[in-house]
Amino acid sequence: MEQTLICIGCPLGCLIRVELEEGKIKTISGNTCKRGEIYARKEIIAPMRIVTTTVRVEGGNMKMIPVKTKGDVPKSKIGEVMDALKGFVVKAPIYIGDVIIQNVAGTGVDVVATKQVQ
């Protein structure tokens, strides 16, 4: 079986082909740099994503604030991360980088503010 990916490891956007045999990676081709191979292995074996969304603010000059996971979370946990943030309210003031939720959905990754609210 073969899977094709567009690499996001660098601006080149290489078309990477990953050949699988019995669920294991047999070959990786099409990447022009080492980051492409690393990306393809990670994406096939354990896809990860940064989650971005907004949460409500209480007592601030804005009603919502953008937040994101500080690092990658397993793609399979995105729903749980979003559920943990659904209905979540933070109190102003909030500063960029403030931890909104620690260890969201048991991923070991914190959710942080990406904007300041007074």
Side-chain angles (χ1 to χ4, degrees):
M1 179 175 133
E2 184 176 286
Q3 285 192 341
T4 303
L5 307 167
I6 296 175
C7 183
I8 60 170
C10 77
L12 292 177
C14 297
L15 191 62
I16 300 177
R17 288 177 188 76
V18 180
E19 188 178 343
L20 300 166
E21 189 173 281
E22 296 179 14
K24 294 183 181 181
I25 296 172
K26 184 176 177 186
T27 62
I28 296 174
S29 61
N31 55 301
T32 57
C33 68
K34 186 70 175 170
R35 287 182 284 184
E37 181 181 344
I38 292 167
Y39 168 76
R41 286 187 187 284
K42 183 175 150 184
E43 188 64 14
I44 295 296
I45 295 168
M48 305 284 277
R49 299 290 185 270
I50 294 212
V51 178
T52 60
T53 189
T54 56
V55 296
R56 293 192 188 282
V57 175
E58 184 178 284
N61 62 342
M62 296 173 57
K63 292 183 180 192
M64 303 290 281
I65 187 169
V67 298
K68 71 176 193 100
T69 53
K70 195 169 182 177
D72 292 344
V73 298
K75 189 175 176 183
S76 62
K77 290 267 195 174
I78 291 174
E80 291 177 51
V81 169
M82 294 302 289
D83 286 345
L85 292 166
K86 186 178 181 180
F88 197 82
V89 179
V90 294
K91 292 184 181 185
I94 304 158
Y95 301 95
I96 295 172
D98 280 0
V99 175
I100 304 302
I101 297 179
Q102 291 182 334
N103 187 24
V104 66
T107 61
V109 178
D110 296 339
V111 174
V112 296
T114 61
K115 190 167 185 168
Q116 182 170 310
V117 175
Q118 295 300 318

